[in-house]
Amino acid sequence: MTGSDLRTQGTRAEETDILIVGGGLGGLTLAAYLARQGREPTVVEQAVEWRASGYGIGLWADGLAVLDELGLLDAARDRAADPDGFEVRTSGGGVLARTTLPARRTLLFAIHRADLHAILRERVPSEWIRMDTAPARIEERANDVAVTFEDGATETFDLVVGADGVHSTVREQCFTDWTPREYDTYVWSLWAAQDIDVGRDMVSVWGPGSEGFVARIGDRVGFNLAARLEEPPEPPAREALRAHAEAIGWQLPALLDGTDDHPFFDRVRDVTCERWRTDRVVLLGDAAHAVHPISGMGASLALQDARVLAQELATGLPGEVSGPLARFEKRRREDAADVRRAARFEAAVTFLESDRLRRLRDALVEHTPLFELFVERQATELNTVRSPTR
């Protein structure tokens, strides 16, 4: 057993009463790790029921390593695309760059967020989760945190974890030194059973001020499209989606023709927090460091946050909370900052509208190893996991 195994599994369960606000990917992952330590956290989720919509997400090596450690990698593989390669196409479909992914190592999954969420729920007892509620008031005190919920009930906890996303209630109530950023970019996501030939690669197609991202999972094709828009449209903005799909070309118009479903639709945002924690309250995932989704790293960051926080809580002294929270933030802040910087650069390069600048960019990608270097950065050797024989 490795040192990291000992840190995540632990052999004792301290009597620390933990509230996790938000039953998304990061919150459920943390609950799963705490369950392995013999703890029983409370998870509160504002939604009335789990949603079936959401992005198609890329899960890179850091995120896959967490699923592997929790024993969920095979379940995820059954519902994900484990591609042969990753390619970039220009508007109209011509290939600018392609990199082959090693057959004996899993570096990247494409998976629907709802499918990954359902897999993580398998590790969290349903009685730990309270739906249709959220904190109305959070009061941090010397020895505990008093939380008043929307129904008026007040409970006390030793630790409150804000895993409640980019619009975090915990961050809003407990932190002041954070900065939200809204982009003029919007994202649509559609998943539907289709027989349109998109190949076995994950494909990024660059259009004028836009990007389409396509991956096949079994008989379904996942189709994300992000585009810069001058004015916020009325959701689900299918007419704008149609216009951008036709401007990008390749198989995107045909994929859109293949479904009448309403797309998931959202505005792109990121968040920068100067501090992620107080003595008894901590943020993780998008609540702490939401990044532009073009990075494909938001889910992996959240899963790693949960893993590291669980490690620090497991190795802290009995009853200690503040020290583990400080160590968690120290270990995770640099990774999140690196992803944010890279994502902002990638967005600036991808969503170009000038024809001249797009031609220059396309030439650089086609005739230099920039794309291959990007994939190498995302898929580090340290956290790769073995693939079954294909």
Side-chain angles (χ1 to χ4, degrees):
M1 182 177 287
T2 67
S4 63
D5 291 331
L6 289 170
R7 291 169 68 93
T8 53
Q9 289 187 338
T11 57
R12 68 184 191 281
E14 305 301 346
E15 294 299 325
T16 303
D17 200 2
I18 300 173
L19 173 66
I20 301 172
V21 181
L25 302 181
L28 290 179
T29 302
L30 176 60
Y33 272 114
L34 294 177
R36 286 157 55 98
Q37 299 172 7
R39 303 173 190 258
E40 297 183 9
T42 298
V43 181
V44 294
E45 169 55 46
Q46 190 173 37
V48 176
E49 58 185 17
W50 302 120
R51 68 185 187 189
S53 63
Y55 291 125
I57 59 176
L59 203 61
W60 291 87
D62 281 352
L64 296 177
V66 170
L67 296 182
D68 195 22
E69 194 168 66
L70 290 173
L72 296 173
L73 188 65
D74 287 341
R77 182 179 281 113
D78 289 342
R79 306 190 199 185
D82 183 1
D84 293 338
F86 194 143
E87 64 185 33
V88 174
R89 293 176 178 265
T90 187
S91 180
V95 177
L96 289 176
R98 181 183 187 275
T99 185
T100 300
L101 299 176
R104 295 186 177 275
R105 287 180 294 134
T106 300
L107 302 180
L108 172 63
F109 278 173
I111 188 168
H112 193 289
R113 182 193 179 280
D115 288 338
L116 179 57
H117 191 267
I119 290 164
L120 288 168
R121 291 203 306 271
E122 295 173 5
R123 288 291 184 267
V124 182
S126 59
E127 59 268 24
W128 293 3
I129 302 174
R130 302 181 195 170
M131 304 294 291
D132 193 23
T133 191
R137 185 167 181 266
I138 301 172
E139 181 186 359
E140 184 174 359
R141 305 182 296 204
N143 297 315
D144 59 25
V145 185
V147 180
T148 302
F149 293 95
E150 292 175 338
D151 63 1
T154 298
E155 300 178 41
T156 59
F157 301 89
D158 298 307
L159 169 64
V160 172
V161 180
D164 47 344
V166 67
H167 301 294
S168 172
T169 296
V170 177
R171 187 183 66 233
E172 179 74 35
Q173 294 194 33
C174 301
F175 297 84
T176 58
D177 48 356
W178 53 277
T179 305
R181 176 175 178 176
E182 287 193 334
Y183 290 81
D184 61 353
T185 308
Y186 297 78
V187 180
W188 295 264
S189 186
L190 280 164
W191 290 73
Q194 304 200 35
D195 59 4
I196 295 168
D197 183 14
V198 296
R200 282 188 50 87
D201 290 347
M202 291 187 194
V203 183
S204 175
V205 193
W206 293 346
S210 59
E211 181 208 25
F213 182 84
V214 178
R216 175 174 291 283
I217 302 175
D219 66 345
R220 293 187 301 166
V221 177
F223 165 30
N224 290 354
L225 192 148
R228 299 178 64 183
L229 302 176
E230 292 183 1
E231 297 291 336
E234 185 69 24
R238 197 176 175 100
E239 290 184 4
L241 171 59
R242 164 65 64 181
H244 282 283
E246 291 180 352
I248 294 173
W250 191 54
Q251 300 283 38
L252 302 194
L255 291 170
L256 190 56
D257 288 340
T259 175
D260 293 326
D261 295 344
H262 285 303
F264 174 81
F265 177 73
D266 199 10
R267 187 170 190 168
V268 173
R269 301 170 175 88
D270 71 21
V271 173
T272 304
C273 292
E274 294 302 317
R275 293 188 70 197
W276 300 355
R277 46 90 192 176
T278 64
D279 286 342
R280 292 186 175 275
V281 180
V282 66
L283 304 173
L284 65 76
D286 281 356
H289 49 66
V291 297
H292 196 298
I294 194 156
S295 70
M297 289 292 290
S300 294
L301 283 174
L303 268 58
Q304 279 290 334
D305 280 358
R307 177 179 184 267
V308 171
L309 179 56
Q311 288 176 350
E312 294 301 341
L313 291 172
T315 57
L317 296 173
E320 181 188 13
V321 173
S322 181
L325 301 190
R327 293 192 296 272
F328 156 73
E329 181 172 358
K330 183 177 181 180
R331 289 177 62 187
R332 294 298 299 149
R333 179 169 282 280
E334 185 175 349
D335 281 353
D338 286 347
V339 171
R340 176 180 292 106
R341 285 191 294 268
R344 288 178 174 176
F345 173 76
E346 291 161 22
V349 170
T350 300
F351 297 105
L352 292 173
E353 295 181 292
S354 162
D355 288 342
R356 182 178 64 84
L357 292 178
R358 289 172 56 221
R359 286 194 297 270
L360 176 61
R361 175 203 62 192
D362 293 353
L364 286 172
V365 170
E366 187 173 13
H367 299 294
T368 71
L370 287 177
F371 179 66
E372 289 80 0
L373 293 173
F374 161 76
V375 174
E376 287 177 11
R377 180 182 66 81
Q378 303 286 74
T380 60
E381 288 286 338
L382 179 62
N383 286 321
T384 57
V385 292
R386 291 188 178 276
S387 297
T389 303
R390 295 181 185 173

